[in-house]
Amino acid sequence: MTKIGIVGYGNLAKGVECAIAQNDDLELAAVFTRRDPASLQIRTPNVPVLKLEAAADWKEKIDVMVLCGGSATDLPEMTPQFAKDFHVVDSFDNHSKIPVHYAAVDAAASESGHVAVISVGWDPGLFSVNRLYASAILPVGKDYTFWGKGVSQGHSDAVRRLPGVVDCRQYTIPVPEALERVRNGEDPELTTREKHTRYCYVVAEDGADKAAIEQAIKTMPGYFADYDTTVEFITMEQMKRDHSGLPHGGSVIRSGVTGLDGESRQTIEYKLTLDSNPQFTGSVLAACARAVHKMAARGEKGCKTIFDITPADLSARSREDIIAHML
Amino acid sequence: MTKIGIVGYGNLAKGVECAIAQNDDLELAAVFTRRDPASLQIRTPNVPVLKLEAAADWKEKIDVMVLCGGSATDLPEMTPQFAKDFHVVDSFDNHSKIPVHYAAVDAAASESGHVAVISVGWDPGLFSVNRLYASAILPVGKDYTFWGKGVSQGHSDAVRRLPGVVDCRQYTIPVPEALERVRNGEDPELTTREKHTRYCYVVAEDGADKAAIEQAIKTMPGYFADYDTTVEFITMEQMKRDHSGLPHGGSVIRSGVTGLDGESRQTIEYKLTLDSNPQFTGSVLAACARAVHKMAARGEKGCKTIFDITPADLSARSREDIIAHML
């Protein structure tokens, strides 16, 4: 049995909580929050909700702490800090800053003798591990990653900050022709605009200048300027009725060749179609918490990534069982 | 640099040879054969072809031996035997006999202190590892494996043994409607017949009773009786012109739900589209040979499967590099 603590209680933490409930070998021990614990009603019965500062008292009662903070400011501080006292898992997803985060977490975890798995989820995470397998097997080839159709929370937030905007849901959508060309092994060179389109459902304030909002979205540098973006104004009722979920997904495709003359085209595609991005990400974190517990029991320590986890360690089933029935 | 020996020189061995040529960190040291070495012309220049019995003299000159024998009679003897003197990789693919093979190889490799990776390729192999990842992440769900469109060599051979048949190429084809229902998350119960169809291109002897051949194929127990099979008679010229390749592929799909009430449908699909089955399988074996070399260098020993290999060990790139650029 792996006793898990969750730090934070946003969408991702709730996803981890749901995943724990689906696994007989995982148990939710406690939830730690920066908010007033009395204000939180969690979904699992008979599990304490405690202040973040109380975590240190739970060192002996928690096998793995799953850190559900944000990558911008929470995890860079939180993961090295918690790695001093706990085996930890996080979903740090700022790709360009992973080496810096890795170094900080590795220093803390190596010194304290804990295992810390960072940057798990689906991208980084399952998409990364599929890029790795595919490039190891097909060294002569090209990688493509398509995201969506799905809600990009960062882009939705960026639109919400514009004057006159009450709410926004931004969908990222792969361009079907681009996906088709990659799947057909054409190895196309694709610009940002050729790979994805963006679709924004926007609720505007009464009397807002919709043309100005649309223009501000479509020209926003770093978010929309490089894409073909469609803006559709809807009512708050429509937003709540049609866009309350957080679906996402995408495909990682490796298109390569084998043979002494590169005569054989070989294509590997890994595709996710997700009704709930945070629940799926939470499920990946829960499986990784199990792996961390096993790795720690073998005496491993330091910072690890999904590249360092054997598939067997992710499974609740015994090694004998999976060799006999899943191989 | 990993110095690799290849045992055997059929289609799979040639696939391994091609894969080695695509990887700067892999080097083909020698090919060992039961045939007369002088009768073999391999594709890599300046590499010796030797009799199988000479392998023992190469213990110090080969890091990993890749065993390209058949699963029916070769590998059950060959892999334990070679594991006494070498780190080895094989592609043993008789799913139901894997535990017996594992035990025999583990006994030999553990005693001699070698690493032996068995049953790699794509099924067993990459399909297995994707089944494992997907079921660990989505414990509440169903697995589906579809094979094809591709040439099934065992089924082609079975037809070739019928009286009056000169040659046959048998294609296994997933039923598009079944695939679609699984991808749509309908979780259907599918019979063998509902999942795949079989298509046989047959070259018959002059004057053969084609109706009798067709009947014999369609009713063959264990091979065709449970499927809707189409038989098409063609000429040897058509066979050579249109069916000389060994394409294959397929999809592993996990369709599951998350959420406290199972309210979110989550689908994971891993799909291979292969122009050349043996070259792709050979590429997987080559990547595993690299991993074996790394595992052996760390002092690991005994029988391993793809479930026991960290993704990082499969890659030619350094851990720092893949964490910085592939995560």
Side-chain angles (χ1 to χ4, degrees), chain A residues 22 102 124 128 257-259 263-267 269 271 273-276 279 303 307-308 312 319 327, chain B residues 22 43 102 124 128 257-259 263-267 269 271 273-276 279 303 307-308 312 319 327:
Chain A
Q22 286 186 321
Y102 178 92
S128 322
V257 294
T258 60
E263 67 272 18
S264 307
R265 170 71 50 182
Q266 318 274 25
T267 308
E269 176 166 356
K271 182 166 184 244
T273 310
L274 310 175
D275 273 358
S276 168
Q279 283 178 10
C303 188
F307 298 152
D308 305 307
R319 192 159 167 274
L327 199 60
Chain B
Q22 285 187 321
R43 297 170 185 189
Y102 179 91
S128 322
V257 294
T258 60
E263 68 272 18
S264 307
R265 170 71 50 180
Q266 318 274 25
T267 308
E269 176 167 356
K271 182 167 186 245
T273 310
L274 310 176
D275 273 358
S276 168
Q279 283 178 9
C303 188
F307 299 151
D308 305 307
R319 190 159 168 274
L327 200 58

Side-chain angles (χ1 to χ4, degrees), chain B:
Chain B
M1 185 68 80
T2 301
K3 293 190 285 293
I4 296 176
I6 297 177
V7 175
Y9 199 65
N11 283 332
L12 176 58
K14 289 172 189 168
V16 176
E17 182 184 21
C18 291
I20 292 169
Q22 285 187 321
N23 286 283
D24 292 341
D25 66 324
L26 306 181
E27 182 185 323
L28 181 59
V31 171
F32 300 92
T33 178
R34 278 186 292 228
R35 290 181 264 175
D36 172 10
S39 72
L40 278 194
Q41 181 62 48
I42 70 166
R43 297 170 185 189
T44 312
N46 307 318
V47 169
V49 180
L50 303 160
K51 285 197 82 80
L52 201 54
E53 297 72 39
D57 304 333
W58 283 69
K59 280 189 218 181
E60 308 303 320
K61 286 174 277 184
I62 283 174
D63 297 311
V64 183
M65 199 69 104
V66 178
L67 308 174
C68 296
S71 296
T73 55
D74 296 336
L75 297 176
E77 302 243 318
M78 200 179 261
T79 310
Q81 190 63 36
F82 272 88
K84 292 179 185 168
D85 293 329
F86 295 94
H87 305 299
V88 300
V89 177
D90 84 16
S91 64
F92 184 82
D93 66 358
N94 187 333
H95 290 259
S96 67
K97 294 189 176 159
I98 285 174
V100 172
H101 187 56
Y102 179 91
V105 175
D106 193 48
S110 296
E111 196 191 326
S112 68
H114 289 99
V115 175
V117 168
I118 62 162
S119 299
V120 289
W122 58 276
D123 196 1
L126 297 176
F127 272 18
S128 322
V129 89
N130 274 281
R131 283 189 283 264
L132 187 71
Y133 274 105
S135 68
I137 291 157
L138 298 175
V140 181
K142 284 185 74 167
D143 279 321
Y144 296 88
T145 303
F146 290 91
W147 293 275
K149 182 185 175 178
V151 174
S152 299
Q153 295 183 257
H155 285 72
S156 301
D157 290 343
V159 173
R160 256 183 237 114
R161 286 191 290 266
L162 291 174
V165 171
V166 177
D167 201 1
C168 172
R169 204 71 83 255
Q170 194 272 179
Y171 292 87
T172 303
I173 306 163
V175 175
E177 295 74 23
L179 249 177
E180 213 43 43
R181 290 182 62 197
V182 171
R183 286 180 178 146
N184 287 342
E186 295 178 32
D187 277 5
E189 293 289 340
L190 297 168
T191 63
T192 299
R193 193 178 299 275
E194 288 168 335
K195 284 182 73 185
H196 296 93
T197 53
R198 297 191 179 277
Y199 203 106
C200 298
Y201 293 96
V202 177
V203 180
E205 288 172 6
D206 280 350
D209 181 345
K210 291 182 177 174
I213 291 173
E214 180 166 345
Q215 180 67 7
I217 293 172
K218 290 185 171 177
T219 58
M220 197 185 295
Y223 285 88
F224 295 98
D226 295 337
Y227 297 85
D228 290 335
T229 302
T230 306
V231 177
E232 181 178 339
F233 290 93
I234 60 173
T235 65
M236 192 51 109
E237 289 65 41
Q238 288 173 311
M239 180 66 80
K240 286 181 178 160
R241 185 190 67 207
D242 301 333
H243 304 286
S244 62
L246 291 169
H248 219 313
S251 286
V252 167
I253 303 175
R254 177 89 177 168
S255 177
V257 294
T258 60
L260 286 188
D261 303 313
E263 68 272 18
S264 307
R265 170 71 50 180
Q266 318 274 25
T267 308
I268 304 175
E269 176 167 356
Y270 182 77
K271 182 167 186 245
L272 298 176
T273 310
L274 310 176
D275 273 358
S276 168
N277 182 356
Q279 283 178 9
F280 187 79
T281 304
S283 296
V284 179
L285 279 123
C288 289
R290 170 189 296 127
V292 164
H293 194 198
K294 293 188 194 177
M295 293 162 89
R298 288 197 302 266
E300 298 190 34
K301 61 182 181 174
C303 188
K304 313 282 180 185
T305 72
I306 194 141
F307 299 151
D308 305 307
I309 300 175
T310 65
D313 277 345
L314 293 168
S315 178
R317 297 165 64 173
S318 74
R319 190 159 168 274
E320 292 66 34
D321 185 23
I322 59 178
I323 288 173
H325 299 112
M326 299 195 78
L327 200 58

Side-chain angles (χ1 to χ4, degrees), chain A residues 262-322:
Chain A
E263 67 272 18
S264 307
R265 170 71 50 182
Q266 318 274 25
T267 308
I268 304 174
E269 176 166 356
Y270 182 78
K271 182 166 184 244
L272 298 175
T273 310
L274 310 175
D275 273 358
S276 168
N277 181 356
Q279 283 178 10
F280 187 80
T281 304
S283 297
V284 180
L285 272 88
C288 289
R290 170 188 296 126
V292 164
H293 195 198
K294 294 188 195 176
M295 293 163 89
R298 289 197 301 267
E300 297 190 35
K301 61 182 181 173
C303 188
K304 312 282 180 186
T305 73
I306 194 140
F307 298 152
D308 305 307
I309 300 175
T310 66
D313 277 345
L314 293 169
S315 179
R317 297 166 63 172
S318 74
R319 192 159 167 274
E320 292 65 34
D321 185 24
I322 60 177

